[in-house]
Amino acid sequence: MKLKCTGNLDFKQLNDTAQKWALDNWEYLTKTDTPLINVNSSTKIEKGQKINVNTGILYLKPADQVTTKTICAAADLMGCKKGCLISSGQLGKKAGSNAATKRTIMYALQPETFKKHLRIEILKHQLEYGETLAIRLNGTSDIDFYDIIATMKDVQFYDYTKIYNRVLKNNLPNYDLTFSGSANNAKSLQITARAIKAGKRTVLAVNTAEIKGEYKLPSMLGDIPLINMDETDARFKDNKRAVGVLKRKGSNKVQRAQDEITDGFFFNQSNINKLAAMV
């Protein structure tokens, strides 16, 4: 997708850093086609192929990294800005970062055109992968794409979300949502406990890489069995009431040691015990 230069573009929707990036990369922004969705684009996503799932993910720049209005409404409450995977792996490299920035600018400035191209790309992938295709529109964002999902009923969509009300209100049969818990503060911990007690599938990002000197992923949360959600990303294949854990990515041992003694998005041994007592 390329930016179509029309007279109604409102660059005030972009923060100062994004406006400068747009000027510095104007040719890339307006003349280079960038795919919105790539299928099987990471090691974890590729794991879905062993269960006959081919996943396409849309990666945008999260929260307010590009836009003046956040595209991750619960990011501050849940404390996920710092640990967002947008800065890790291929996404953290220049090519991946530039592509995500461009997509986010497109979304902010020309949302209807963006969604039109998004639908076209999804249909193209559907022709190639058929019923094995799954689409995750919020790889690094938390946007309500209800209007797209509701009109593409024969495509399986799924997402993680930190907005609990989205989980409660979702009634689309082709859209699977997993609540992403947080130990950032007392309120986020309470919301996480509420989701689990309500029987909503929940994932906990745990502050360990399981290297020497670090604890292993827990197998139980109190009396609740925990599944390993690192095995694949195909959450719609999990039990709707499942609770699972993900190992922390894109960090080092020093960072993880610091986060063992403070509350944050990632669960450490202390606050995961607090959560267990609440559920």
Side-chain angles (χ1 to χ4, degrees):
M1 181 182 176
K2 294 178 284 189
L3 179 67
K4 296 183 182 299
C5 299
T6 61
N8 59 355
L9 296 179
D10 182 7
F11 284 90
K12 291 181 181 178
Q13 296 183 66
L14 308 179
N15 62 34
D16 291 344
T17 301
Q19 288 186 33
K20 183 179 185 305
W21 184 95
L23 289 172
D24 292 343
N25 297 273
W26 189 251
E27 185 170 351
Y28 172 69
L29 193 60
T30 59
K31 296 182 181 180
T32 304
D33 259 321
T34 300
L36 300 180
I37 288 177
N38 292 306
V39 177
N40 298 328
S41 58
S42 71
T43 302
K44 182 182 177 183
I45 299 306
E46 287 177 348
K47 291 178 180 179
Q49 293 176 292
K50 65 187 178 184
I51 54 172
N52 202 28
V53 173
N54 293 283
T55 300
I57 303 184
L58 171 66
Y59 289 113
L60 302 176
K61 283 290 187 176
D64 52 4
Q65 286 192 16
V66 165
T67 55
T68 51
K69 181 180 179 181
T70 184
I71 59 173
C72 301
D76 288 323
L77 171 64
M78 305 300 264
C80 54
K81 284 184 180 181
K82 180 182 175 182
C84 184
L85 59 79
I86 194 65
S87 60
S88 63
Q90 294 297 320
L91 294 174
K93 295 180 180 179
K94 186 176 180 179
S97 179
N98 282 344
T101 300
K102 177 177 176 175
R103 293 186 199 108
T104 313
I105 290 174
M106 301 295 154
Y107 171 75
L109 298 185
Q110 296 180 325
E112 293 310 312
T113 301
F114 181 91
K115 290 179 181 180
K116 176 183 175 182
H117 281 267
L118 196 53
R119 286 187 178 94
I120 291 170
E121 282 200 22
I122 293 170
L123 289 172
K124 178 183 175 182
H125 291 311
Q126 187 183 24
L127 282 173
E128 181 175 355
Y129 295 101
E131 293 182 355
T132 70
L133 179 69
I135 297 293
R136 182 177 158 196
L137 293 178
N138 285 294
T140 43
S141 55
D142 211 339
I143 298 168
D144 186 353
F145 283 109
Y146 184 98
D147 53 344
I148 291 178
I149 298 167
T151 59
M152 305 188 78
K153 297 180 181 180
D154 56 345
V155 177
Q156 174 67 62
F157 293 86
Y158 76 101
D159 271 321
Y160 302 84
T161 181
K162 295 175 181 65
I163 303 172
Y164 183 48
N165 279 343
R166 286 188 64 207
V167 177
L168 291 178
K169 294 178 180 179
N170 176 43
N171 60 3
L172 294 174
N174 63 323
Y175 190 32
D176 183 272
L177 276 173
T178 298
F179 181 69
S180 180
S182 169
N184 189 47
N185 50 53
K187 185 173 182 180
S188 67
L189 202 62
Q190 289 169 359
I191 295 171
T192 303
R194 189 187 311 159
I196 294 171
K197 288 193 289 186
K200 304 299 181 182
R201 189 189 309 112
T202 302
V203 60
L204 312 176
V206 182
N207 183 45
T208 181
E210 294 189 311
I211 63 174
K212 186 177 180 180
E214 294 186 351
Y215 62 94
K216 300 293 182 181
L217 289 174
S219 59
M220 301 282 285
L221 181 71
D223 296 328
I224 302 172
L226 295 175
I227 67 172
N228 184 350
M229 291 186 174
D230 275 320
E231 291 184 354
T232 76
D233 195 59
R235 295 283 72 80
F236 58 94
K237 295 288 189 179
D238 296 334
N239 185 293
K240 289 187 178 297
R241 301 177 66 90
V243 182
V245 288
L246 294 172
K247 260 189 305 194
R248 183 172 180 176
K249 314 296 190 303
S251 61
N252 58 50
K253 193 170 183 179
V254 173
Q255 290 171 322
R256 294 191 295 275
Q258 291 173 341
D259 288 341
E260 270 304 296
I261 57 175
T262 59
D263 289 334
F265 171 70
F266 296 98
F267 281 84
N268 57 35
Q269 288 183 303
S270 174
N271 49 45
I272 204 167
N273 289 336
K274 291 179 184 177
L275 179 64
M278 297 168 72
V279 299

